[in-house]
Amino acid sequence: MTTHSDGTTTVEYAPEQPARLDWAKHAPEVYKAMVRLEIAARRGLDHKLYELVKIRASQINHCAFCIDMHTKDALATGESVERILQLSAWDESRHFYTAKELAALELTEAVTVLTDGFVPDEVYENAAEHFEEAELAQLIAAITAINAWNRFGVTCRMAPGHYQPGQYK
């Protein structure tokens, strides 16, 4: 923090790291395919649920760009700040979410963290109790899509903070 001669202070934040690679520019066909996958994957899913899943997977994968994007999009659709803030500890904050949302979050974690083993039968069965098969297929596609986006974002070090709600829709 710097105090100026007029008595005002400014906070000096760390410099923003530049992106490593503008992958969409250099692999435009892959980017276009990802956009088509994203559009297809979100079809038929409740938008608030979709954004909660996107935020949670992005938290797990440490994708700051995607956390920024999906948090802003969730807020723009009327999602509450409180529910977004509690996502990182949703299992201890279950009372903020519906049973269907909890099943989706649990499935999101299981699909995202495959290094812990396969998606457990009880997690899948719980999700299957709350989602019709077509909707469950869409949910799995949405979880898969955000995990792919996260890997591009983290690897290429895409910088958070510049996204405007709805910018890529």
Side-chain angles (χ1 to χ4, degrees):
M1 190 165 8
T2 303
T3 303
H4 303 281
S5 58
D6 64 359
T8 61
T9 59
T10 56
V11 176
E12 294 178 28
Y13 294 104
E16 181 177 301
Q17 290 185 338
R20 288 178 173 156
L21 175 71
D22 183 353
W23 75 271
K25 174 183 171 187
H26 297 289
E29 292 306 313
V30 175
Y31 177 76
K32 290 175 193 173
M34 284 295 300
V35 169
R36 287 191 304 274
L37 172 63
E38 183 66 34
I39 291 167
R42 73 174 170 234
R43 192 168 292 131
L45 289 177
D46 173 77
H47 196 70
K48 285 186 178 182
L49 174 80
Y50 166 85
E51 293 298 344
L52 291 174
V53 163
K54 297 290 187 170
I55 296 166
R56 185 62 193 128
S58 299
Q59 289 172 336
I60 294 166
N61 290 322
H62 304 280
C63 185
F65 181 85
C66 293
I67 292 169
D68 179 57
M69 174 191 296
H70 293 292
T71 297
K72 288 175 179 174
D73 282 345
L75 289 168
T77 66
E79 184 56 81
S80 75
V81 170
E82 189 170 44
R83 282 171 32 104
I84 293 170
L85 289 173
Q86 291 301 316
L87 268 178
S88 64
W90 67 268
D91 202 28
E92 297 173 32
S93 307
R94 298 176 78 80
H95 60 285
F96 287 100
Y97 308 100
T98 67
K100 187 173 185 175
E101 291 168 337
L102 291 169
L105 292 171
E106 187 176 37
L107 184 63
T108 298
E109 291 205 3
V111 172
T112 300
V113 188
L114 290 175
T115 55
D116 288 349
F118 296 105
V119 174
D121 289 339
E122 60 273 8
V123 170
Y124 183 86
E125 290 163 8
N126 185 38
E129 287 178 21
H130 294 283
F131 294 87
E132 297 292 326
E133 285 186 341
E135 189 180 20
L136 182 57
Q138 291 299 125
L139 176 61
I140 294 167
I143 296 166
T144 301
I146 191 57
N147 273 279
W149 285 118
N150 290 164
R151 278 143 180 82
F152 285 117
V154 170
T155 303
C156 297
R157 196 184 286 141
M158 296 171 66
H162 306 286
Y163 178 78
Q164 298 300 313
Q167 181 177 336
Y168 297 123
K169 299 208 181 211

